[in-house]
Amino acid sequence: MTEPIPAAPAPLFGASDIRRMAAEIGVRPTKTLGQNFVIDGNTIRRIVAAAEVQPDETVLEVGPGLGSLTLGLLDAAAEVVAVEIDPVLAAKLPETVKEWRPAAASAFHLVHADAMKVTELPVEPTALVANLPYNVAVPVVLHLLQHFPSLQHGLVMVQDEVADRLAAGPGSKTYGVPSVKAAWYSQMRKAGVIGMNVFWPAPKIHSGLVSFTRRDPPATTATREQVFAVVDAAFAQRRKTLRAALAGWAGGAPEAERCLVAAGVDPTARGEVIDIAAFARIAEARENRP
């Protein structure tokens, strides 16, 4: 008995497809929107595989552009919700899906909106997979993790330097506000580097893949806003000790020191060496002042 021949993988866009579609709708990638379209099918397959999307999942994609990654996600997931800010690209995308993945057209949902303002979606997403514009990557990730607790995991492609910041741990030179705030919601790790030549237009820097898994925030009576206020204050003057950096936030250096000691943090330490749980304890200590 002969073995069945495995089906060929569904086609993905190549460079000529991307340029042809862009020309048809009069689109030129803009720096303002941070548009760099992926033109390599193998890169799309790599991203989808690294994201570990399951067949029963609903994936949220931000900035789908012409749909390179969208097609790969439709092949892997039950449903895809795409948020696109550009009206011309948003109008074209449903047509592209119907042409290239007709069987999955009903599983595709388009939201024409700014991802930084979206607080509701037509379907509850469980995963975020996106090629994010470099200039808004961090605020978009934090906004989506805040407003969509159903997001349990994901993979984002960002500027390589931003990827390092998001995934950095305490004590690292790249550890800062993005690292700490991301850690409130999830465990983040660097999942790879993507070269420049798989994009049109080619950026001048490499891109990085960041994988994340949702986890509970630290146990604390302080609110997220209160904890983030401590984080912002600590890194606004990152060369200063926490006692000095938090003086303005606490209402004076003595009160900052009291909060730090109550939280079990060395007042002479700097913000770059403590984790999100310590920041939560500092915020809580201020709220519980005698």
Side-chain angles (χ1 to χ4, degrees), residues 202-229:
K204 295 179 180 178
I205 43 179
H206 286 80
S207 298
L209 298 177
V210 180
S211 171
F212 71 87
T213 304
R214 171 83 71 170
R215 66 181 177 195
D216 291 333
T220 178
T221 57
T223 65
R224 178 186 59 82
E225 290 82 4
Q226 289 167 343
V227 176
F228 282 13

Side-chain angles (χ1 to χ4, degrees), residues 175-177 180-181 184 220 222-238 240-251 255-256 259-260 263 265 270-272 274-287 289:
Y175 185 70
V177 172
V180 187
K181 291 184 177 179
W184 173 266
T220 178
T223 65
R224 178 186 59 82
E225 290 82 4
Q226 289 167 343
V227 176
F228 282 13
V230 183
V231 175
D232 289 334
F235 287 98
Q237 304 174 79
R238 64 183 296 153
K240 291 191 175 183
T241 65
L242 283 167
R243 183 183 190 277
L246 297 182
W249 162 83
E255 175 61 10
C259 292
L260 289 160
V265 176
R270 290 180 171 81
E272 62 208 40
I274 66 173
D275 63 10
I276 184 61
F279 280 108
R281 294 196 304 272
I282 296 166
E284 189 171 320
R286 185 185 180 195
E287 298 311 305
R289 60 180 174 266

Side-chain angles (χ1 to χ4, degrees), residues 14 16 35 43 53 64 81 91 100 103 110 115 117 133-134 139 165 210 234 244 249 253 256-257 277 288:
S16 59
Q35 291 169 329
T43 299
V53 173
V81 182
W100 287 72
L110 176 72
K117 298 177 181 176
Y134 288 169
R165 286 184 197 149
V210 180
W249 162 83
E257 181 162 350
N288 296 336

Side-chain angles (χ1 to χ4, degrees), residues 25 90-101 108:
I25 57 176
K92 176 66 175 174
L93 208 52
E95 298 175 20
T96 302
V97 170
K98 284 178 185 174
E99 178 186 347
W100 287 72
R101 294 295 187 276
F108 176 69

Side-chain angles (χ1 to χ4, degrees), residues 22 40 53 72 93 108 112 121 123 189 248 265:
D40 177 64
V53 173
L93 208 52
F108 176 69
H112 175 211
L121 291 170
V123 192
R189 67 176 183 84
V265 176

